């Protein structure tokens, strides 16, 4: 072990004001008060807040911090911060470093520049931020960052954290009711646990700087397929190149300091694509940490002369990036509720949680799809690399057989002997790590958790986890209502599980999700296939889904509409920005370059002809160049014209962008990409795919 690895335990979390540090630096009474407020979800009293603020400031100053900020997650999907220094005038031109409980628990912010989706009238520009004491403060760039929720003055959630916390409470409450039915009298809380794997691309910074599309939109809007893509399948898990290795090491160090349990790193399928997976934690912390991870990934890349791309589809023709949201429920004593057990009681309980999940995904498949609907993810879902746009659950052979035997009331074939009676029989062991892991399923059961694979790489994981938590709260609540009234628990449990599995088995699919035949089959089963964002977003505002969120007090009706509006507006904003960037690049880079190159070809042609020499190459090339340049110029004109008449109504604008602007852009791209293939390397004005994708290979 070298010094660095020896120091790791000390380094880990060194920039986090975590529980250990609090225990160290707070009075026992204060520490207890904090702990109580976290477990009971009650507000901190001001004297406790004052003591914590003082200790936090002292700790932060000891670590070199000069500022503090309430760190929050507005509905943009990225994080926001506004830094204040600790200094207070102390008379005589001197300052002292101060930070009060009031400043810790509550900050004010001008909310007017954050998207509110109509929740905040402009006269009510203020919002407030309130410390979320369940997530630890940390130091980043000499600033003490205090994870906070962000609300409008009227109390509406303007962020992604508040509803996540509400959904964690809701699922905890209903899950505890179920546990009581199974005789568990001790569990106080059930925790939604999440581990989110993060995919990303790394490219050379110098190349990046030459691409306006990457700078403006995070993805390439032009680029012909390179001679080599990912067909050799040699990048996945391949040896990591030294420069990338150095990046990953640096990244791990930074993440560890911030208490992020970065665990696994490897090369992904596409060239220049990589992945980082942390060890799972509670959903709130996991969401905060994923936001931190994305930010640090970009920052560290810069230090290595690299750029980290988190876009879902930076390059056409090779795999895009997603993040796998691994989700499960665990009790406060560490029992995983999705782990098949070894006693009949445990298995009955497992099957009930599993049934609730299956029912939830079936009933809210449209909503799960909507939470991952963004223009970036449209390039991914349904392409040959990512899950299809149809939501289904992969159970694996063993569990599917168990479910079938319950539904059909037939003998479970592996045991062969008797029919399974829930709560009486012990289920055969379900292999924890089934080897035939299905990579094409949007939602896969992987031993003791579900892996939701539709999430785009740049998205906040808050939205999907809110839906997973809330749908579970809904189903578990309904089950508890029914079973709490039962006089014959085992009989009624059996009936309920059988009934619900029968009703919702259509959502289970163990086959190949990329297969065309599956899309047909899914249609026959009546499953949703919302192919694009435009098809998917309306799920937000169906009465069924509004009822789900309002009945569990996750969102008010207004809060639901606010989120819907923001996503609708974001679609148009993103597509329009991409279109404008395209026009700019065509007008200022691509068209001038191909025109110049064309002239060069014509000049050569003229000279050769004058000398009576053969000039077939020049002639064909000049002709192709001129024809394609005209096509490109026409396509560019059309895009520009269509962009001028985007409807003013938000929903109409979104649909218009989808049906008019996106096809216009595809048309431009196809001509430009063809031109690229017939233009000399020197004459092409921007780095091409092989420059971008293979600089580190
Ligand atoms: P892969 O899917 O690449 O094979 P793993 O299955 O080992 O990787 O884990 C993927 C992620 O799932 C990791 O972030 C891991 O911490 C997380 N994970 C493991 N167990 C659970 C669980 N019970 N609940 C939530 N996440 C989990
Ligand atoms: Mg995975």
């Amino acid at each position: 072990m070298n010094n660095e690895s020896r120091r790791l335990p000390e380094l880990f979390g060194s920039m986090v004001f975590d529980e250990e540090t609090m225990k160290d630096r707070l009075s026992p009474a204060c520490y207890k008060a904090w702990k109580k407020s976290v477990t009971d979800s009650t507000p901190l009293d001001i004297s406790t807040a004052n003591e914590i603020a003082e200790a936090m400031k002292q700790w932060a100053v000891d670590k070199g911090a000069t500022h503090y900020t309430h760190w929050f997650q507005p509905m943009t999907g990225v994080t926001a911060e506004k830094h204040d220094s600790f200094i207070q005038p102390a008379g005589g031109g001197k300052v002292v470093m101060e930070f009060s409980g009031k400043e810790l628990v509550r900050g004010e912010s001008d909310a007017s520049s954050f998207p509110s989706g109509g929740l905040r009238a402009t006269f009510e520009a203020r919002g407030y931020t309130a410390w979320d004491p369940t997530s630890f403060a940390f130091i980043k760039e000499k600033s003490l960052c205090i994870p906070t929720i962000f609300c409008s003055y009227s109390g509406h959630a303007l962020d992604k954290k508040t509803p996540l916390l509400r959904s964690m409470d809701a699922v905890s409450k209903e899950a505890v009711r179920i546990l009581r039915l199974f005789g568990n009298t001790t569990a106080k809380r059930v925790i939604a646990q999440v581990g989110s794997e993060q995919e990303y691309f790394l490219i050379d910074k110098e190349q990046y700087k030459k691409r306006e599309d990457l700078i403006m939109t995070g993805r390439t809007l032009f680029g012909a397929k390179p001679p080599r893509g990912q067909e050799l399948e040699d990048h996945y898990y391949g040896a990591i190149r030294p420069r990338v290795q150095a990046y990953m090491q640096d990244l791990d160090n930074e993440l560890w300091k911030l208490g992020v349990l970065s665990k696994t790193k490897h090369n992904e399928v596409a060239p220049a694509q990589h992945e980082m997976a942390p060890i799972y934690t509670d959903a709130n912390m996991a969401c905060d940490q994923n936001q931190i991870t994305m930010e640090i990934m970009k920052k560290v890349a810069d230090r290595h002369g690299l750029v980290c791309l988190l876009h879902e589809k930076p390059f056409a023709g090779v795999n895009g990036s997603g993040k796998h949201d691994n989700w499960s429920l665990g009790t406060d004593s560490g029992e995983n509720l999705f782990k098949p057990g070894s006693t009949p009681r445990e298995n009955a309980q497992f099957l009930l949680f599993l049934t609730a999940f299956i029912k939830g995904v079936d009933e809210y498949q449209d909503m799960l799809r909507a939470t991952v609907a963004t223009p970036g993810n449209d390039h991914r879902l349904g392409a040959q690399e990512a899950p299809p746009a149809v939501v289904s659950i992969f159970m694996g052979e063993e569990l599917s057989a168990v479910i079938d035997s319950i539904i059909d009331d037939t003998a479970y074939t592996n045991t062969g002997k008797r029919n399974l009676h829930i709560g009486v029989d012990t289920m055969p062991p379900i292999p924890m790590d089934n080897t035939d892991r299905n990579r094409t399923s949007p939602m896969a059961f992987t031993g003791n958790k579900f892996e939701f694979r539709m999430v785009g790489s740049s998205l906040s994981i808050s939205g999907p986890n809110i839906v997973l938590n809330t749908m579970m709260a809904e189903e578990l609540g309904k089950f508890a209502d029914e079973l709490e009234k039962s006089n014959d628990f085992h009989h009624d449990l059996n009936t309920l599980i059988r009934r619900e599995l029968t009703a919702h088995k259509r959502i289970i699919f163990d086959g190949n999700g990329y297969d065309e035949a599956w899309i047909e089959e899914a249609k026959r089963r009546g499953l949703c296939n919302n192919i694009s964002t435009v098809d998917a977003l309306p799920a937000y505002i169906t009465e069924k889904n509004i009822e789900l969120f309002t009945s569990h007090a996750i969102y008010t009706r207004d809060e639901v509409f606010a989120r819907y509006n923001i996503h609708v507006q974001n679609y148009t904003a993103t597509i329009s920005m991409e279109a404008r960037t395209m026009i700019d690049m065509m007008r200022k880079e691509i068209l001038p370059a191909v025109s110049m190159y064309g002239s060069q070809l014509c000049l050569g042609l003229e000279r050769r002809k004058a000398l009576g020499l053969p000039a077939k190459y020049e002639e064909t090339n000049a002709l192709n160049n001129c024809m394609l340049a005209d096509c490109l110029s026409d396509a560019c004109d059309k895009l520009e014209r269509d962009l001028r008449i985007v409807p003013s109504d938000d929903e109409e604008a979104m649909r218009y962008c989808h049906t008019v602007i996106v096809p216009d852009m595809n048309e431009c791209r196809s001509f430009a990409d063809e031109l690229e293939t017939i233009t000399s390397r020197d004459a092409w004005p921007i780095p091409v795919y092989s420059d971008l994708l293979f600089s580190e290979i």
Side-chain angles (χ1 to χ4, degrees):
M1 253 210 260
N2 65 18
N3 270 344
E4 216 171 299
S5 44
R6 213 173 279 133
R7 284 207 319 268
L8 215 167
E10 208 180 304
L11 179 84
F12 187 84
S14 58
M15 288 303 185
V16 186
F17 193 70
D18 54 16
E19 185 153 358
E20 211 45 39
T21 316
M22 284 198 231
K23 220 175 198 165
D24 247 22
R25 290 190 173 241
L26 300 175
S27 68
C30 179
Y31 169 75
K32 247 175 89 182
W34 166 77
K35 190 91 190 156
K36 192 166 157 35
S37 107
V38 170
T39 36
D40 302 353
S41 301
T42 49
L44 284 173
D45 66 87
I46 189 67
S47 70
T48 308
N50 274 332
E51 190 183 329
I52 296 177
E54 179 56 30
M56 220 186 239
K57 180 210 73 189
Q58 205 51 56
W59 169 82
V61 170
D62 290 350
K63 298 261 178 200
T66 52
H67 288 66
Y68 70 91
T69 176
H70 283 238
W71 182 80
F72 55 101
Q73 298 170 28
M75 294 186 283
T76 50
V78 293
T79 56
E81 42 196 73
K82 174 183 142 231
H83 303 261
D84 283 304
S85 75
F86 290 121
I87 59 169
Q88 287 287 344
K94 302 264 186 246
V95 293
V96 286
M97 305 286 259
E98 268 183 25
F99 183 50
S100 70
K102 219 171 87 212
E103 287 163 317
L104 166 66
V105 294
R106 187 159 162 159
E108 279 180 32
S109 194
D110 180 358
S112 61
S113 296
F114 292 106
S116 79
L119 277 180
R120 170 196 32 71
T122 32
F123 60 84
E124 203 193 73
R126 282 171 156 208
Y128 69 85
T129 54
W131 182 36
D132 158 24
T134 62
S135 188
F136 301 126
F138 56 92
I139 297 172
K140 186 169 65 77
E141 304 279 313
K142 297 193 172 194
S143 264
L144 171 67
C145 298
I146 301 155
T148 54
I149 61 168
F150 180 42
C151 293
S152 75
Y153 246 65
S154 46
H156 281 120
L158 291 175
D159 68 348
K160 290 185 175 266
K161 188 190 258 288
T162 311
L164 179 65
L165 290 168
R166 291 173 184 162
S167 73
M168 290 171 73
D169 280 345
V171 71
S172 172
K173 191 175 117 209
E174 306 300 345
V176 168
R177 283 176 69 196
I178 297 288
L179 293 181
R180 295 285 182 267
L181 288 168
F182 283 91
N184 179 332
T185 52
T186 50
K188 278 206 180 112
R189 256 191 92 75
V190 165
I191 300 137
Q193 312 174 126
V194 171
S196 68
E197 303 160 57
Q198 176 75 47
E199 291 179 344
Y200 60 98
F201 278 85
L202 280 182
I203 60 165
D204 186 82
K205 187 155 76 180
E206 291 312 310
Q207 307 277 7
Y208 167 89
K209 282 199 216 148
K210 295 179 194 151
R211 294 279 314 215
E212 184 182 345
D213 47 3
L214 283 176
I215 295 170
M216 292 297 165
T217 71
R219 75 178 181 103
T220 53
L221 301 170
F222 301 101
K225 213 168 155 4
R228 171 179 165 185
Q230 60 192 42
E231 46 282 276
L232 295 180
E233 297 183 337
D234 55 348
H235 194 252
Y236 191 54
Y237 283 17
I240 300 169
R241 301 284 148 177
R243 191 174 177 200
V244 173
Q245 184 70 43
Y247 165 81
M248 286 178 168
Q249 242 159 38
D250 200 1
L251 175 66
D252 272 346
N253 264 311
E254 292 299 323
L255 292 175
W256 289 333
K257 277 193 238 168
L258 291 166
V260 179
L261 291 151
S262 171
K263 171 87 175 161
T264 313
K265 51 188 179 185
H266 60 80
N267 287 351
E268 261 300 331
V269 174
Q273 193 185 29
H274 312 281
E275 181 186 292
M276 188 289 276
I279 296 172
Y280 70 97
T281 174
D282 73 82
N284 180 33
M285 197 85 96
C287 184
D288 282 1
Q289 294 197 341
N290 183 252
Q291 292 287 356
I292 296 173
T293 300
M294 291 194 284
E295 186 183 327
I296 302 290
M297 278 181 164
K298 289 187 172 171
K299 199 178 292 173
V300 171
D302 193 60
R303 291 209 286 259
H304 293 258
L306 295 163
V307 173
C308 171
L309 303 175
L310 292 172
H311 194 282
E312 282 73 19
K313 193 74 176 179
F315 305 100
V318 296
N319 277 8
S321 301
K323 62 183 129 203
H324 293 173
D325 189 77
N326 294 271
W327 178 94
S328 70
L329 294 174
T331 65
D332 44 6
S333 63
E335 181 191 355
N336 182 339
L337 299 173
F338 284 104
K339 192 167 176 235
S342 51
T343 68
R345 187 199 64 84
E346 283 170 358
N347 276 333
Q349 186 183 296
F350 162 74
L351 280 174
L352 189 65
F353 277 94
L354 193 71
T355 304
F357 188 85
I358 292 167
K359 180 167 189 266
V361 173
D362 188 25
E363 286 177 345
Y364 299 103
Q365 47 178 295
D366 57 338
M367 194 56 224
L368 281 164
R369 168 68 185 94
T371 61
V372 296
T374 60
N377 221 10
D378 276 1
H379 299 286
R380 213 181 132 246
L381 298 179
Q384 283 298 302
E385 66 197 43
V390 179
V391 178
S392 66
I393 308 177
F394 168 84
M395 278 296 167
E397 220 177 302
E398 298 273 334
L399 211 47
S400 281
V402 170
I403 289 170
D404 285 344
S405 76
I406 294 171
I407 292 174
D408 305 338
D409 201 16
T410 52
Y412 174 62
T413 46
N414 275 16
T415 57
K417 294 180 207 105
R418 290 176 298 147
N419 298 2
L420 281 176
H421 285 285
I422 298 148
V424 180
D425 296 308
T426 303
M427 227 163 42
I430 307 289
M432 265 290 288
D433 201 359
N434 21 6
T435 40
D436 60 336
R437 289 270 300 274
N438 182 315
R439 293 263 153 211
T440 64
S441 175
M443 183 78 80
F445 181 70
T446 47
N448 60 2
K449 61 181 172 8
F450 284 93
E451 187 168 339
F452 186 36
R453 304 202 181 112
M454 293 172 98
V455 188
S457 51
S458 69
L459 302 186
S460 159
I461 56 170
S462 165
N465 286 304
I466 290 169
V467 177
L468 289 170
N469 295 342
T470 310
M471 69 172 209
M472 269 311 267
E474 168 68 16
E475 309 304 355
L476 293 173
K478 289 257 162 69
F479 289 180
D481 289 345
E482 187 173 331
L483 295 172
E484 279 166 0
K485 287 193 225 114
S486 163
N487 293 321
D488 184 349
F489 182 66
H490 278 142
H491 175 266
D492 292 346
L493 179 68
N494 246 313
T495 312
L496 184 153
I497 290 181
R498 190 153 167 233
R499 183 189 73 215
E500 297 301 347
L501 287 178
T502 309
H504 299 287
K505 68 174 179 200
R506 64 169 185 171
I507 197 77
I508 298 172
F509 175 65
D510 281 359
N512 179 5
Y514 298 169
D515 199 341
E516 255 319 297
W518 162 234
I519 304 303
E520 283 307 307
E521 164 70 14
K523 205 160 146 192
R524 273 194 296 278
R525 293 190 190 185
L527 301 178
C528 302
N529 183 12
N530 292 330
I531 294 170
S532 75
T533 297
V534 175
D535 309 312
L537 287 181
Y540 269 92
I541 50 167
T542 58
E543 281 310 315
K544 172 192 64 133
N545 292 336
I546 293 176
E547 172 65 22
L548 172 73
F549 292 121
T550 51
S551 66
H552 291 276
I554 310 301
Y555 294 125
T556 62
R557 199 179 175 84
D558 289 347
E559 287 172 345
V560 171
F561 273 90
R563 274 142 188 94
Y564 170 70
N565 290 338
I566 287 171
H567 288 298
V568 168
Q569 288 161 0
N570 176 61
Y571 185 86
T572 306
T574 305
I575 301 294
S576 310
M577 185 177 63
E578 289 186 347
R580 286 195 300 272
T581 306
M582 253 190 150
I583 294 169
D584 211 43
M585 288 174 78
M586 286 185 284
R587 292 247 180 272
K588 296 182 182 148
E589 292 181 296
I590 299 174
L591 283 167
V594 294
S595 164
M596 195 99 84
Y597 181 62
S599 307
Q600 212 179 307
L601 290 170
C602 291
L603 219 61
L605 177 65
E606 215 172 56
R607 280 198 197 135
R608 276 167 182 74
K609 279 201 166 159
L611 292 170
L613 292 169
K616 207 165 119 199
Y617 167 75
E618 284 74 14
E619 190 158 0
T620 337
N621 240 3
L623 192 67
N624 285 342
N625 169 285
C626 294
M627 275 180 349
L628 281 169
D630 279 357
C631 291
L632 180 63
S633 169
D634 287 347
C636 181
D637 287 347
K638 176 166 183 340
L639 175 59
E640 210 164 18
R641 267 197 319 273
D642 288 341
L643 203 52
R644 266 189 234 120
I645 49 168
V646 176
S648 56
D649 175 78
D650 284 346
E651 284 169 318
E652 270 175 47
M654 169 177 79
R655 282 191 290 270
Y656 175 85
C657 283
H658 179 64
T659 52
V660 178
I661 302 296
V662 170
D664 280 357
M665 287 167 65
N666 291 341
E667 183 88 344
C668 292
R669 180 172 186 154
S670 72
F671 292 127
D673 289 359
E674 207 175 329
L675 274 161
E676 185 198 311
T677 62
I678 58 157
T679 304
S680 96
R681 199 180 292 280
D682 296 339
W684 195 250
I686 51 177
V688 298
Y689 270 25
S690 47
D691 302 328
L692 295 165
L693 285 169
F694 292 94
S695 60
E696 288 314 313
I697 286 192

